[in-house]
Amino acid sequence: MFPPVYVNEVAAHEGKEVTLHGWLHGRRSSGKLHFLQLRDGTGTIQCVVFKGNVSPESFVEADHLPQETSLAVTGTVKKDARSPLGFELDVKGLRVVSRPAREFPLGHKEHGVAFLMEQRHNWLRSPRQQAILRVRHAVEQAIRDFFDRRGFTLVDAPIFTPSACEGTSTLFEVPYFDLGKAYLTQSGQLYMEAAAMALGKVYCFGPTFRAEKSKTRRHLTEFWMVEPEVAFMDLDGDMELMEQFVSHVVQTVLAKHRDELVRVLERDVSRLEKVVPPFPRITYDEAVEVIRAAQRKARAQGGAAEAGPEGAGGQPPPALMQWGDDIGGDEETLVAAAYDRPVMVHRYPAAMKAFYFKKDPADPRLALGCDVLAPEGYGEIIGGGQREDDLATLEAALDAHQLPHEAFEWYLDVRRYGSVPHAGFGMGVERCVAWICGLHHVRETIPFARMMERITP
RNA sequence: UCCCCAGUAGCUCAGUUGGCAGAGCAGGUGACUGUUAAUCACCGGGUCGCAUGUUCGAGUCAUGCCUGGGGAGCCA
């Protein structure tokens, strides 16, 4: 039968006989009735097998099919108020496509994280993981739509690179023929800067690799990043682009998957509805004051609590944040908690940013960078800013960061031939998906997570 | 690299002062014409992560190792 009928289309076939193909999600039985939950990727439908409607062999078989048996089920589509879907299939016949060779490892009860990650290939079949992967797809589609509709050109950046893009992070090394070592990319940005001088508005969208030994809920060794870069754009334009981009992605996903977010992922979507421009913009200086105020308050309130039963450790309270300190995970949460939508923190101390950031003409201690912090403790989802466009200044920055000029000769060319102000940013897809779905850990946002302690399945 | 926690049935876990290895779910057999994580009865299921030590006796105590989880730093 072609085209085949899918579960999400059965309403159009009410009263008609159809054949559905899928996997047995679950099974219940009540004497002369068997209830089979059939999942086909578009939805799940209950197939009702009544003893009088099928052959005796089929009736017995239907009560002994293990979970994840693949099936072709033929029957009549019937409206039924008792069904969450609104429809059921009144079964006339069923054919086993393939019977599991052994028991499916994942039941419908609780499992531990370690076991689920080992069973990731099987775990993907669960309703919750399906919902997350659909949201991820919608996020990636919204990303493409946003830039495509604004006249950006997608320019694919290389995965193998000859050296560190930023000269800071730890990279994965790969042997590369007679040329020695290559490295897996940690950012396509430098290549996008060159491409922006050709095409004006560009973006790349691909995997990124970091060999840092980070073991936190926000880190993967392999993750996906979208990086736009625009010629003739300054920091203010960049920040406008960031907030329009983030709100477009969130609102598009909300429009397409509100039901799954609410019902399957139990997300409080009212928090997402607020993600519309303008986002609050605060300077790093202001962020430091917000953090210090919150830390003083926590210290005043925590003093009594620490003297309680668990206060035997005698740990001194953490020092107040100082100007020049980086904004870590806890500090990000303190800043984000002060607002009901993503907050943009700009003009960081230049010393803590990569060499390519342009200095603030009004205060050379500051870099024209901006991070977007997601609400609800999800932290930095975007980092970006205006790039240094002056050749001599950039060369001095390379020296200051003790980076070899040879590796960056091509990058310096971007400033040698008609240099212009330009800016861009990078957004991590997994952190964005985790935030939108309200997940505790980014490992569930990517089909097959790569982490420090895990490379299988 | 550092700090904290965990490892017992296929899965999730309990296991008292060191004294016979347990439950629920899953699986198997059966009952039930409306189940939504169905219910009920019966059945099978163990290298207590590994090693060494203490002890009459170790799942339990000690030391080391392995694996996993959480966090820090770094970052998206």
Side-chain angles (χ1 to χ4, degrees), chain A residues 63-76:
Chain A
D63 197 28
H64 291 83
L65 297 172
Q67 187 188 342
E68 299 305 324
T69 301
S70 49
L71 293 167
V73 187
T74 303
T76 309

Side-chain angles (χ1 to χ4, degrees), chain A residues 169-180:
Chain A
S169 306
T170 319
L171 304 181
F172 286 105
E173 272 183 21
V174 192
Y176 201 82
F177 305 114
D178 296 336
L179 298 179

